[in-house]
Amino acid sequence: MLRWVACAALALVVLGLLAAGGASWRFARYAPPDPAVAPDPRALAYFIDDYAPARQAFLAAGDALAPRFARVERFAIPVDGAPDLAVDGLYVPAQQTPRRLLVLSSGVHGVEGPAGGAVMRLFMDEFMTDALMADTGVLLLHALNPWGFAHQRRVTARNVDLNRNASMHPALYQTQNAGYPLVDPLINPREQADPDAWGHRLFLLRSVAMIARHGMPVLRQAVLQGQYAEPRGIYYGGHAPEPQLTALAPRLTAVLEQYPLSMGIDLHTGYGARGRLHVFLNPPENPRVREGLEAVFSGRAIDWGSGQDFYTVTGDVAGWIGALRTSGAHLPAVFEYGTMDSQTTLGAVKSLHVGVLENQGAQYGYASPEAEARIRRDYREMFNPSSPAWRTQVIQDSRAMLGHVLARLPHVSVKP
């Protein structure tokens, strides 16, 4: 009852602003403040916005590591038959005793690739020391969705959200998202994308009305969980594993099985408070895995997906990597670098609106070249902010969090 009253009050405020012409103006120009950090040119140099040069930088960093360590393995999995689009892997085994494996993956959502690639190269530069590599193997997976990276989209060429698509079991693709039909009229408009159309001008009001009726947690879960019924809709998980996952699975299994314990860190941007690194995880079913994650991140906040301001997903890559193991234990983690304050109501609605417009344009075209330019710009900024302060914060927070993880991981024991 209190939640409904609060949302109803917010709706009244929005109505008042609309009457004054203020709400649509503020909503259209919504932008949360940047972190209060001075831009660092060294940090900014890690960010490469386009796929081809980002790939070359990753390969060059691998070339620099190869002479330093024994038995380095590299591979490339072409995507969609295009040799210039590939998932690139670099595996550096533990040089002495294989006690644990760390897997870093980036670009699952292609447009998020610049930040993921930046953090990965930071890791290669600063953390792959002789001391770490004595008993820890490292497997780096660059641009799991290279098509999305190259085309500045979250999804693959088949409109599949790779982070709703990863599973060892066909049952995933039969999953029914019961809440999705509820929000379908709002999030999947089926005409050319025009930010100035009345349906989009009133997007905030329509969203608040739904929130007032159903509650933000219900709607957030319905939208973001993943769906398998609307191939042209947002957060579509596909009808089978995407080809790069099928090709990657045996390679991952062969490496994972060499270590009694593995940990994966999947690098994402978009959700959460702007300029903050969220450790954002699906709650694991195995209590020992949860205990292991809590030990690794001891002293740091974990945003479990079941919490009030977050959500769980189906078919996530972090969980899929662990499921490839036939023995041993795996700790799945996600680093989410927030951009839009999407844990707030206004930030969540604005983020959703940007994503809706982008998918609408990709599926049904744009009302004008100006509309396309505006929509695509807003979409890129949501996942790959050009802000020097934001980018500097990403590198600073990543350096601190990776150091924390690597200091604690050797002391964690997880029984399968």
Side-chain angles (χ1 to χ4, degrees), residues 345-415:
T345 298
L346 187 58
V349 175
K350 181 63 178 181
S351 299
L352 177 61
H353 190 220
V354 171
V356 165
L357 278 165
E358 191 275 343
N359 185 67
Q360 183 183 1
Q363 300 300 326
Y364 303 101
Y366 299 89
S368 68
E370 294 77 18
E372 179 177 5
R374 175 178 161 190
I375 289 168
R376 291 176 65 85
R377 179 201 66 214
D378 290 349
Y379 190 74
R380 288 193 303 270
E381 282 294 320
M382 183 164 73
F383 292 109
N384 180 32
S386 58
S387 159
W390 183 86
R391 293 184 173 193
T392 297
Q393 192 72 59
V394 166
I395 296 301
Q396 290 184 358
D397 288 353
S398 299
R399 182 180 287 117
M401 188 66 80
L402 289 168
H404 181 88
V405 168
L406 293 177
R408 298 198 60 84
L409 186 59
H411 307 290
V412 173
S413 177
V414 181
K415 294 183 179 180

Side-chain angles (χ1 to χ4, degrees), residues 19-84:
S24 61
W25 185 90
R26 294 185 185 189
F27 183 64
R29 290 157 181 79
Y30 170 83
D34 274 334
V37 59
D40 178 358
R42 294 171 299 175
L44 299 179
Y46 280 114
F47 281 81
I48 302 175
D49 291 338
D50 297 321
Y51 167 72
R55 182 189 187 196
Q56 290 306 311
F58 174 77
L59 295 176
D63 289 342
L65 285 173
R68 291 176 47 200
F69 301 107
R71 307 185 307 281
V72 174
E73 299 177 18
R74 285 177 282 185
F75 60 86
I77 298 173
V79 173
D80 296 329
D84 57 337

Side-chain angles (χ1 to χ4, degrees), residues 8-33:
L10 178 58
L12 290 174
V13 171
V14 172
L15 279 170
L17 289 170
L18 278 172
S24 61
W25 185 90
R26 294 185 185 189
F27 183 64
R29 290 157 181 79
Y30 170 83

Side-chain angles (χ1 to χ4, degrees), residues 277-294:
L277 192 170
H278 294 271
V279 179
F280 177 22
L281 314 175
N282 266 353
E285 295 180 4
N286 186 334
R288 295 187 180 90
V289 171
R290 179 163 183 150
E291 291 169 3
L293 288 165
E294 290 174 338

Side-chain angles (χ1 to χ4, degrees), residues 161-197:
D161 186 322
L162 208 62
N163 210 41
R164 309 298 189 275
N165 174 255
S167 179
M168 298 291 292
H169 305 290
L172 170 71
Y173 312 103
Q174 305 301 319
T175 300
Q176 300 294 317
N177 181 340
Y180 199 81
L182 173 74
V183 296
D184 181 78
L186 176 70
I187 65 176
N188 291 317
R190 293 167 173 82
E191 62 272 339
Q192 287 186 328
D194 180 0
D196 294 322

Side-chain angles (χ1 to χ4, degrees), residues 108-401:
V108 169
H109 292 139
V111 69
E112 302 171 22
V119 174
M120 195 168 286
R121 289 191 297 277
L122 167 75
F123 182 84
M124 297 165 82
D125 282 351
E126 297 188 8
F127 291 95
M128 293 186 68
T129 63
D130 292 342
L132 174 71
M133 303 306 302
D135 58 4
T136 302
V138 172
L139 175 61
L140 305 175
L141 303 172
H142 181 262
L144 266 74
N145 179 8
W147 185 92
F149 196 161
H151 292 83
Q152 298 295 298
R153 299 204 69 209
R154 275 173 55 97
V155 294
T156 70
R158 285 160 290 281
N159 199 49
V160 171
D161 186 322
L162 208 62
N163 210 41
R164 309 298 189 275
N165 174 255
S167 179
M168 298 291 292
H169 305 290
L172 170 71
Y173 312 103
Q174 305 301 319
T175 300
Q176 300 294 317
N177 181 340
Y180 199 81
L182 173 74
V183 296
D184 181 78
L186 176 70
I187 65 176
N188 291 317
R190 293 167 173 82
E191 62 272 339
Q192 287 186 328
D194 180 0
D196 294 322
W198 275 107
H200 287 296
R201 289 191 178 192
L202 297 175
F203 192 89
L204 175 61
L205 180 59
R206 295 167 65 202
S207 300
V208 168
M210 280 195 173
I211 294 167
R213 183 175 179 183
H214 302 286
M216 176 58 84
V218 173
L219 291 182
R220 181 185 287 119
Q221 187 64 37
V223 173
L224 300 176
Q225 169 185 314
Q227 57 90 13
Y228 304 87
E230 297 292 339
R232 300 177 79 174
I234 61 174
Y235 299 102
Y236 175 59
H239 58 82
E242 286 291 273
Q244 60 260 55
L245 297 185
T246 301
L248 188 58
R251 290 182 178 271
L252 289 180
T253 300
V255 175
L256 291 163
E257 295 293 289
Q258 298 175 35
Y259 300 83
L261 175 66
S262 56
M263 179 174 183
I265 299 176
D266 196 20
L267 302 165
H268 288 262
T269 66
Y271 195 86
R274 186 173 180 85
R276 178 179 167 188
L277 192 170
H278 294 271
V279 179
F280 177 22
L281 314 175
N282 266 353
E285 295 180 4
N286 186 334
R288 295 187 180 90
V289 171
R290 179 163 183 150
E291 291 169 3
L293 288 165
E294 290 174 338
V296 169
F297 294 107
S298 176
R300 306 297 178 103
I302 295 177
D303 291 305
W304 299 107
S306 54
Q308 177 74 12
D309 295 328
F310 289 82
Y311 58 94
T312 58
V313 304
T314 53
D316 64 296
V317 167
W320 170 75
I321 291 175
L324 294 172
R325 296 195 68 119
T326 60
S327 61
H330 183 78
L331 301 175
V334 172
F335 286 4
E336 182 89 29
Y337 303 89
T339 63
M340 294 285 285
D341 284 356
S342 47
Q343 79 287 1
T344 67
T345 298
L346 187 58
V349 175
K350 181 63 178 181
S351 299
L352 177 61
H353 190 220
V354 171
V356 165
L357 278 165
E358 191 275 343
N359 185 67
Q360 183 183 1
Q363 300 300 326
Y364 303 101
Y366 299 89
S368 68
E370 294 77 18
E372 179 177 5
R374 175 178 161 190
I375 289 168
R376 291 176 65 85
R377 179 201 66 214
D378 290 349
Y379 190 74
R380 288 193 303 270
E381 282 294 320
M382 183 164 73
F383 292 109
N384 180 32
S386 58
S387 159
W390 183 86
R391 293 184 173 193
T392 297
Q393 192 72 59
V394 166
I395 296 301
Q396 290 184 358
D397 288 353
S398 299
R399 182 180 287 117
M401 188 66 80

